[in-house]
Amino acid sequence: MPSYIAPTKDLQFVLHDVLHVSAADTPGYTELEADFTAAVLEEAGKLTSEVLAPLNAVGDAEGCVLENGVVRTPTGFKAAFDQVREGGWTALDMPEDYGGQNMPYVLGTAVGEMFSASNQAFTMYQGLTHGAASAILVHGTDDQKTTYLPNMLSCEWTGTMNLTEPHCGTDLGLMRTKAEPEGDGSFSLTGQKIFISAGEHDMAENIIHLVLAKIPGGPEGIKGVSLFIVPKFLVNKDGSLGERNGVSCGKIEEKMGIHGNSTCVMNYDGAKGWLLGEKHKGMRAMFTMMNEARIGVGMQGLAQADVAYQNALIYAKDRLQGRAVTGVENPDGPADPLIVHPDIRRSLLDQKSFIEGARAFLLWGAKMIDQSHRGGDEAAEGMVSLLTPVIKGFLTDEGFDMTIKAQQIYGGHGYIEESGMSQFARDARIAMIYEGANGVQALDLVGRKLAQDGGKHVMAFFDMVKTFLKDNADNEALKDDFLEPLKAASKDLQAAGMFFMQNGMKNPNAALAGSNDFMHMFGHVCLGLMWAEMAKASQSALDAGTSDPKFYETKLATGRFYMARRLPATGLHLARIQSGADPVMALEADQF
Amino acid sequence: MPSYIAPTKDLQFVLHDVLHVSAADTPGYTELEADFTAAVLEEAGKLTSEVLAPLNAVGDAEGCVLENGVVRTPTGFKAAFDQVREGGWTALDMPEDYGGQNMPYVLGTAVGEMFSASNQAFTMYQGLTHGAASAILVHGTDDQKTTYLPNMLSCEWTGTMNLTEPHCGTDLGLMRTKAEPEGDGSFSLTGQKIFISAGEHDMAENIIHLVLAKIPGGPEGIKGVSLFIVPKFLVNKDGSLGERNGVSCGKIEEKMGIHGNSTCVMNYDGAKGWLLGEKHKGMRAMFTMMNEARIGVGMQGLAQADVAYQNALIYAKDRLQGRAVTGVENPDGPADPLIVHPDIRRSLLDQKSFIEGARAFLLWGAKMIDQSHRGGDEAAEGMVSLLTPVIKGFLTDEGFDMTIKAQQIYGGHGYIEESGMSQFARDARIAMIYEGANGVQALDLVGRKLAQDGGKHVMAFFDMVKTFLKDNADNEALKDDFLEPLKAASKDLQAAGMFFMQNGMKNPNAALAGSNDFMHMFGHVCLGLMWAEMAKASQSALDAGTSDPKFYETKLATGRFYMARRLPATGLHLARIQSGADPVMALEADQF
């Protein structure tokens, strides 16, 4: 039976030693003293490791069951959801006006990692509700906000996002779901949506579906798409639940993982809906959910990697197999523990150095969202917009790889479902796909974000790295192990950007053929920067005579591993990018 | 419903254009004319794509069921197994004396790829039988051979390998299963073995277990391990089946994949067994199975990658989504097919260039086994012994990654079990683990094979590459795209070997910390060499005015992709290796 221990100490380190959140000039941040965040993280840690984590395997084994239009969630999910609601964990960063706790997004994200790590399938029910509520908060009328938000923020009602149809996923312009105006301000929706997470279940009184559809007579393609609020039960003027709407779950899918979350085919048969935001501007409104969701999905990659690593580490310390090549380390036992073997350590450090770097990267991104949303900081807004596809794509690709590495440490036992290691990998797998498959993230990064606002944001990124290197040039403790590798990797990334500029105008394929590599090398440079920042903070703590030198020394050693063994991947990605479009485009379709 | 098309044309190309098997100076090879191998591959292709492939999803969905000690295999497996037996596909490369077909191993391997690709779980029943029969063939007495081999070669009886126990996998010296001599030449075996593939099932009259156990009073650890033949039903003098032996299946495991194969806990309760080979030399006898099994598992990595790729390619051509960035390519449709997008092509070519390179590598290895076993060629024996861990480790690590890439092309549909893409990945996952987890392969390569016979074999490998480069130095068509990259990659590999020599003696961890990287870079150089060979053969065919220029041009373009985009990975692996032991060994166990 796998376990989960909330990484509260490491989250505190990132929030305070590295990101200095309590001192940041952002509304709400002054309340984020270290003892306050520690208390919140501690409580969240208890709930996630004691209540949600034990349900993770149950959810996987039982899955969801559809009977007579009703979806039954796994044993224990409903009771746990009640506990989550009662604890007030469903809307940490939402406004108090509607029942939220008004905490900064960065703290919500730190808590979110724990929820996701302990039980991804379970956490999706509230995660999607949060995304839907955000869209209503930003684009809804006062009436819509009052009608839906209080119950959604408490998760008495949950929410969904309805984009995909059988014949269209990424290319939503092909959408067929129709919304006919009824003349009373409402619309009648007809069509089928698929892959709707939490589309139907038994844990909430009502489900508020946000649905993309086309109003007949509107513009062709994506420009004719609008967003609608379609509640499962209509809501009466007094807030009580009215009649059942014409929306139903036709099927739930058998999936590779996240079995505890119901993935539904949703049929809209003249369902009553109301426009959310402007007519034909549905994509804009949907992207409010989407960007937040993408960061949340990047978090899932990190979260599954962490819980898988924790269990691999326990196994590596417990399992006795073979002897250390440099001499027996466990003379009283029949063999040494796995962790003495260099290749096992190599794998564990691949995981550990990714997880801790990714955690800092994610929380830095979350901090920039606060700076942008709460502080009106446009530079932060531009930067996080640039980095969102990197957070989503890189953290989920790498996160999945890390769950596979963790599973590998178990040998044959990792392949047996009982160990739980397979579930971590199978659950992590979806994060590379949903909320825009990672190829689409890479396309978004290279095809759109790089050139956004005249390339201002990527230039700002390089300036930031340069400034960091310059400001710390005299720091002898960082120079060889951190600054030099970061400089080299950043140079590779710039060379790749330069290659795109010089070749992409003539031939867009020259840029797009390298988009996946660029996303990955960008991710590595971000993690390299995070490790350099963490090393700096750790060195400062050691210099100041910290009472916990081992923690900071471990940070430095883990960071050195990343810089020496993971960051040089940028060179390979650059070589691939510089090979250009030809190797990728040479074949005709029938030659594959 | 996924499909499988046997790659007969490509196998023929490797066998004849590249490896020139029919002309090779090896007994049996003169019979391998192109029309003969084509006929065999054609027939095997029909059987695998029409009979075995359609059962693949059935096996995954139904799995095996244990009831009252009897394992029921999935619907259709028994009938298909009868068809395989009747077709004479169970012992292609086995001696005619015992009912085999006496074909070379290289042809058996080409056929084996198809079996494995079409239905890995099914094919394991005969694959393990083949391995067990090989061990009896090499180490058995005449009596044992006559008693067991004819029925095993026809798969009327199947075989198993029993190594792992709950507390020991890799470290078999810890084994507890005991074999007490009975005084009549037989032994009484007591103990529990786990992860026994095909340990119990309903498709054969008898199951011949090969079991590692310790004879009390023998040497400690691995040196006291012997190998035993333990039949499920004892065999009477006249060859008929006698009483049921004291061996039974206690449980079958719930696994991530290969559900159609029964993975059994086997309990030996005073089971009657007979020594196979010499007392206390069980590991030697077991390794006869093991080496063959490792090459067979490498094949599985390639095979699952191929079937996954084939289905990803169909989807990429069918699924309409988005428009080509360089202009509409499917003006009559609502969108262009996925395959117009550069990142989709990049992924497909990652897969295609791996699969075709791996196929050549595998068959080259198989040819060397023939040269060694049939031709007594010691150089070939040394080379294939060196390359066996690379074939196993590299082809299964990469093969699994490729199934993940193939699944990714399906987007959300790939995560749904119905598409079959998840099964390819879940089935491929085991190949990284069984027959020695890939970390153990890397250890075998760096810790043992590199230095074997004074490093003679690895020197021979480098000489071979050098000779190839020299012999083809005037080939202008190959120079820039193939010879230069191969030279650079080979140089990286040599530098890594040099680093190990200079540092590994002082500190073995300096070599072992880089073992996984070395195995991967070695694999890349082998595939680079294969691509250079294939390019040479293709260019020759084009120069000679082939009637099928498109086939050979496609080969050249696919090879160029590998050399430009995949092979440069050697540089990254070298950088990691040269970072040495420190980054990997710096942390104490409690700092992880």
Side-chain angles (χ1 to χ4, degrees):
Chain A
M1 179 76 159
S3 61
Y4 175 64
I5 299 165
T8 45
K9 190 172 180 181
D10 207 52
L11 284 163
Q12 284 285 90
F13 166 72
V14 175
L15 289 176
H16 299 288
D17 289 31
V18 182
L19 297 176
H20 307 286
V21 291
S22 63
D25 188 21
T26 298
Y29 269 44
T30 45
E31 289 157 34
L32 294 187
E33 299 88 5
D35 53 356
F36 173 70
T37 61
V40 172
L41 296 176
E42 205 64 49
E43 280 307 305
K46 255 188 237 167
L47 178 69
T48 52
S49 55
E50 293 171 13
V51 178
L52 303 190
L55 287 176
N56 195 41
V58 177
D60 188 56
E62 289 187 16
C64 294
V65 180
L66 174 67
E67 269 172 8
N68 304 322
V70 178
V71 171
R72 202 171 60 239
T73 51
T75 308
F77 268 42
K78 191 165 179 346
F81 206 47
D82 286 341
Q83 242 179 299
V84 170
R85 281 191 273 247
E86 283 155 21
W89 295 105
T90 57
L92 289 188
D93 62 328
M94 286 293 200
E96 284 174 332
D97 296 355
Y98 300 105
Q101 310 246 12
N102 205 30
M103 292 180 193
Y105 185 72
V106 74
L107 186 55
T109 302
V111 169
E113 185 202 316
M114 298 182 192
F115 272 75
S116 193
S118 64
N119 199 324
Q120 179 172 327
F122 176 90
T123 300
M124 287 170 66
Y125 291 98
Q126 67 195 91
L128 287 156
T129 307
H130 190 281
S134 295
I136 294 174
L137 191 64
V138 176
H139 301 282
T141 62
D142 284 344
D143 192 39
Q144 286 172 335
K145 291 189 215 178
T146 317
T147 304
Y148 298 108
L149 287 183
N151 280 316
M152 290 179 79
L153 265 48
S154 66
C155 276
E156 294 300 328
W157 302 351
T158 62
T160 70
M161 294 166 67
N162 289 241
L163 291 79
T164 307
E165 299 184 5
H167 63 290
C168 70
T170 301
D171 191 353
L172 289 170
L174 303 175
M175 172 174 307
R176 292 180 193 145
T177 299
K178 288 215 166 5
E180 305 264 3
E182 292 283 272
D184 62 352
S186 76
F187 289 77
S188 170
L189 277 86
T190 306
Q192 188 177 68
K193 296 287 182 176
I194 63 169
F195 303 160
I196 308 309
S197 299
E200 180 57 47
H201 60 87
D202 57 1
M203 300 202 296
E205 290 169 9
N206 201 4
I207 303 176
I208 310 305
H209 303 289
L210 298 198
V211 186
L212 285 179
K214 285 183 174 174
I215 301 168
E220 285 287 297
I222 200 74
K223 288 178 183 161
V225 167
S226 307
L227 185 61
F228 297 88
I229 300 178
V230 184
K232 175 178 167 183
F233 289 100
L234 301 180
V235 181
N236 298 323
K237 287 261 179 240
D238 65 358
S240 64
L241 295 185
E243 62 175 310
R244 176 73 193 249
N245 203 351
V247 48
S248 59
C249 170
K251 184 187 166 192
I252 59 176
E253 309 282 0
E254 296 287 330
K255 310 182 300 290
M256 186 179 186
I258 51 167
H259 296 159
N261 199 278
S262 57
T263 304
C264 301
V265 172
M266 297 303 294
N267 295 317
Y268 293 86
D269 302 305
K272 225 177 187 32
W274 289 268
L275 198 59
L276 176 60
E278 288 175 58
K279 207 164 135 173
H280 307 323
K281 302 270 193 232
M283 290 309 291
R284 219 185 94 204
M286 191 52 103
F287 262 93
T288 305
M289 297 162 66
M290 205 60 135
N291 278 328
E292 181 189 300
R294 286 178 174 177
I295 290 175
V297 172
M299 178 173 77
Q300 292 174 352
L302 150 66
Q304 289 306 304
D306 189 34
V307 67
Y309 166 73
Q310 289 187 17
N311 286 281
L313 179 59
I314 291 168
Y315 194 78
K317 287 178 178 175
D318 281 358
R319 175 83 170 173
L320 305 180
Q321 210 77 178
R323 290 293 187 187
V325 69
T326 46
V328 171
E329 298 208 5
N330 177 31
D332 300 334
D336 289 340
L338 286 181
I339 200 167
V340 305
H341 302 299
D343 190 57
I344 296 286
R345 296 178 146 255
R346 187 268 315 159
S347 168
L348 288 171
L349 277 160
D350 282 350
Q351 297 167 55
K352 182 178 170 66
S353 67
F354 164 75
I355 290 159
E356 295 177 15
R359 182 173 288 136
F361 183 28
L362 180 76
L363 292 177
W364 175 43
K367 180 181 166 182
M368 287 190 286
I369 285 181
D370 284 326
Q371 290 169 320
S372 151
H373 290 188
R374 293 169 165 251
D377 180 338
E378 283 182 19
E381 186 182 350
M383 185 68 77
V384 74
S385 158
L386 171 72
L387 295 180
T388 294
V390 182
I391 291 173
K392 198 280 183 181
F394 181 70
L395 296 196
T396 61
D397 275 356
E398 290 275 303
F400 172 72
D401 282 354
M402 297 303 157
T403 64
I404 293 295
K405 289 183 191 212
Q407 182 187 26
Q408 186 73 11
I409 286 178
Y410 272 68
H413 296 273
Y415 198 66
I416 308 299
E417 291 294 352
E418 202 180 350
S419 71
M421 301 307 286
S422 161
Q423 187 190 353
F424 298 139
R426 290 184 290 98
D427 285 0
R429 181 69 185 88
I430 189 59
M432 297 159 69
I433 299 172
Y434 60 18
E435 308 307 341
N438 286 355
V440 174
Q441 304 301 324
L443 179 65
D444 179 45
L445 176 65
V446 170
R448 191 180 318 165
K449 298 293 175 66
L450 271 191
Q452 209 168 40
D453 299 325
K456 179 165 93 169
H457 309 302
V458 72
M459 295 314 298
F461 180 85
F462 289 124
D463 281 347
M464 188 183 52
V465 174
K466 216 162 128 185
T467 304
F468 178 87
L469 291 170
K470 208 173 114 193
D471 289 352
N472 295 284
D474 297 337
N475 192 331
E476 286 300 323
L478 298 186
K479 199 159 176 283
D480 293 346
D481 294 346
F482 291 92
L483 303 183
E484 289 301 327
L486 176 60
K487 193 172 166 182
S490 172
K491 211 176 126 190
D492 285 344
L493 187 66
Q494 287 187 64
M498 191 62 75
F499 180 87
F500 290 160
M501 285 201 345
Q502 285 166 347
N503 299 277
M505 292 293 277
K506 275 197 308 267
N507 178 9
N509 289 333
L512 297 183
S515 58
N516 178 64
D517 284 290
F518 191 78
M519 180 174 78
H520 277 261
M521 76 194 296
F522 211 149
H524 277 296
V525 173
C526 289
L527 260 60
L529 176 64
M530 291 300 107
W531 272 116
E533 296 262 22
M534 290 193 282
K536 183 184 170 181
S538 299
Q539 192 60 53
S540 297
L542 288 167
D543 292 346
T546 169
S547 61
D548 191 5
K550 199 160 176 178
F551 177 83
Y552 295 104
E553 282 158 8
T554 302
K555 275 284 167 225
L556 282 163
T558 308
R560 280 189 203 105
F561 178 93
Y562 194 89
M563 305 310 272
R565 292 192 51 105
R566 306 296 299 170
L567 192 55
T570 55
L572 172 59
H573 291 301
L574 177 61
R576 289 180 183 160
I577 286 169
Q578 289 178 334
S579 74
D582 288 353
V584 171
M585 303 307 292
L587 296 186
E588 298 295 323
D590 67 354
Q591 289 182 288
F592 275 85
Chain B
M1 178 75 160
S3 62
Y4 174 64
I5 298 166
T8 46
K9 190 173 180 181
D10 207 51
L11 285 162
Q12 283 286 89
F13 167 71
V14 175
L15 289 176
H16 299 288
D17 290 30
V18 182
L19 297 176
H20 307 288
V21 291
S22 63
D25 188 20
T26 298
Y29 270 42
T30 46
E31 289 157 35
L32 294 187
E33 298 88 5
D35 53 357
F36 174 71
T37 61
V40 172
L41 296 176
E42 205 65 46
E43 279 307 306
K46 254 187 238 167
L47 179 68
T48 53
S49 55
E50 293 171 14
V51 179
L52 303 190
L55 287 176
N56 195 41
V58 177
D60 188 56
E62 289 188 16
C64 294
V65 180
L66 174 68
E67 269 172 10
N68 305 322
V70 178
V71 171
R72 202 173 59 238
T73 51
T75 308
F77 268 42
K78 192 167 180 342
F81 206 45
D82 287 339
Q83 240 179 300
V84 169
R85 280 192 273 247
E86 282 156 21
W89 294 104
T90 58
L92 289 187
D93 64 328
M94 286 293 198
E96 283 175 333
D97 297 354
Y98 300 106
Q101 311 245 11
N102 205 30
M103 292 180 193
Y105 186 71
V106 74
L107 185 55
T109 303
V111 169
E113 186 202 316
M114 297 180 191
F115 272 76
S116 193
S118 64
N119 198 325
Q120 179 172 328
F122 176 91
T123 300
M124 287 170 66
Y125 291 98
Q126 67 193 92
L128 286 156
T129 307
H130 190 281
S134 295
I136 295 175
L137 191 63
V138 176
H139 300 283
T141 62
D142 284 344
D143 192 40
Q144 287 173 334
K145 290 189 214 177
T146 317
T147 304
Y148 299 108
L149 287 182
N151 280 317
M152 290 179 79
L153 264 49
S154 66
C155 276
E156 294 300 327
W157 302 351
T158 62
T160 70
M161 294 166 67
N162 289 241
L163 291 80
T164 307
E165 299 184 5
H167 62 290
C168 69
T170 300
D171 191 353
L172 289 170
L174 302 175
M175 170 173 311
R176 290 178 194 146
T177 299
K178 288 215 166 4
E180 304 264 3
E182 292 284 272
D184 62 353
S186 76
F187 289 77
S188 170
L189 277 85
T190 306
Q192 188 177 68
K193 296 287 181 177
I194 62 169
F195 302 160
I196 309 309
S197 299
E200 179 57 49
H201 60 87
D202 57 1
M203 301 201 296
E205 290 169 9
N206 202 3
I207 301 176
I208 311 304
H209 303 288
L210 298 197
V211 185
L212 285 179
K214 286 183 174 174
I215 302 170
E220 286 288 297
I222 199 73
K223 288 177 183 162
V225 167
S226 307
L227 186 60
F228 297 88
I229 301 177
V230 184
K232 174 178 169 184
F233 289 100
L234 301 180
V235 182
N236 297 324
K237 287 263 179 237
D238 64 358
S240 64
L241 295 186
E243 60 177 310
R244 175 74 194 247
N245 204 351
V247 47
S248 60
C249 170
K251 183 188 166 190
I252 57 176
E253 308 282 0
E254 298 286 331
K255 311 182 299 290
M256 187 179 186
I258 50 166
H259 296 159
N261 199 277
S262 57
T263 304
C264 302
V265 173
M266 297 304 294
N267 295 318
Y268 292 86
D269 303 305
K272 224 176 187 33
W274 289 269
L275 197 59
L276 176 59
E278 289 174 57
K279 206 164 136 175
H280 308 323
K281 304 271 191 223
M283 290 309 291
R284 218 185 94 202
M286 192 52 103
F287 262 93
T288 307
M289 298 162 66
M290 204 62 133
N291 277 328
E292 181 189 300
R294 284 177 176 178
I295 289 175
V297 172
M299 178 173 76
Q300 292 173 352
L302 150 66
Q304 289 305 304
D306 189 34
V307 66
Y309 167 72
Q310 289 187 17
N311 285 280
L313 178 59
I314 291 168
Y315 194 78
K317 286 178 178 176
D318 281 359
R319 174 84 170 173
L320 305 180
Q321 209 79 179
R323 291 293 187 186
V325 68
T326 47
V328 171
E329 297 207 6
N330 177 32
D332 299 334
D336 289 341
L338 285 181
I339 201 168
V340 305
H341 302 300
D343 190 55
I344 295 286
R345 296 178 145 256
R346 187 267 315 157
S347 169
L348 288 171
L349 276 160
D350 282 349
Q351 297 167 55
K352 181 178 170 67
S353 66
F354 163 75
I355 291 159
E356 295 177 14
R359 181 173 289 137
F361 183 29
L362 180 76
L363 292 177
W364 174 44
K367 180 180 166 182
M368 287 190 286
I369 285 182
D370 284 326
Q371 290 169 321
S372 152
H373 290 187
R374 293 170 165 250
D377 180 339
E378 283 182 20
E381 187 181 351
M383 185 68 76
V384 74
S385 159
L386 171 72
L387 296 180
T388 294
V390 182
I391 291 173
K392 198 282 183 180
F394 181 70
L395 296 196
T396 61
D397 275 357
E398 290 276 303
F400 172 72
D401 281 355
M402 296 304 157
T403 63
I404 294 294
K405 289 184 192 212
Q407 182 187 25
Q408 187 72 13
I409 285 178
Y410 272 68
H413 296 273
Y415 199 66
I416 309 299
E417 291 293 353
E418 201 180 351
S419 71
M421 301 308 286
S422 161
Q423 188 190 352
F424 298 138
R426 289 184 291 99
D427 285 0
R429 181 70 185 87
I430 188 58
M432 297 159 68
I433 299 171
Y434 61 17
E435 308 307 340
N438 286 355
V440 175
Q441 303 301 324
L443 179 65
D444 179 45
L445 175 66
V446 170
R448 192 181 318 166
K449 299 291 175 67
L450 271 191
Q452 209 168 39
D453 299 324
K456 180 164 93 172
H457 310 302
V458 71
M459 295 313 298
F461 179 85
F462 288 126
D463 281 347
M464 189 184 51
V465 173
K466 217 162 126 184
T467 305
F468 178 87
L469 291 171
K470 208 173 114 194
D471 290 351
N472 295 284
D474 296 338
N475 192 332
E476 287 300 323
L478 299 186
K479 198 159 178 284
D480 294 346
D481 293 347
F482 291 93
L483 303 182
E484 288 302 327
L486 175 60
K487 193 173 168 181
S490 172
K491 212 175 125 192
D492 284 344
L493 187 66
Q494 287 187 64
M498 190 62 74
F499 180 88
F500 290 160
M501 287 203 340
Q502 286 166 346
N503 299 277
M505 292 293 278
K506 276 195 308 268
N507 178 10
N509 289 334
L512 297 183
S515 58
N516 179 65
D517 284 290
F518 191 78
M519 179 175 79
H520 278 262
M521 76 193 296
F522 211 148
H524 276 296
V525 173
C526 289
L527 260 60
L529 176 63
M530 292 299 107
W531 271 116
E533 297 264 21
M534 290 193 282
K536 183 184 170 180
S538 299
Q539 192 60 53
S540 297
L542 288 167
D543 292 345
T546 170
S547 60
D548 191 4
K550 198 159 178 178
F551 177 82
Y552 294 105
E553 281 158 7
T554 302
K555 275 284 168 227
L556 283 164
T558 309
R560 279 188 205 105
F561 178 93
Y562 194 88
M563 305 310 272
R565 292 192 49 106
R566 306 296 298 172
L567 192 55
T570 56
L572 172 58
H573 291 301
L574 177 60
R576 288 180 184 160
I577 286 168
Q578 290 177 333
S579 75
D582 287 354
V584 171
M585 304 307 293
L587 295 186
E588 298 296 323
D590 67 353
Q591 288 182 289
F592 275 85

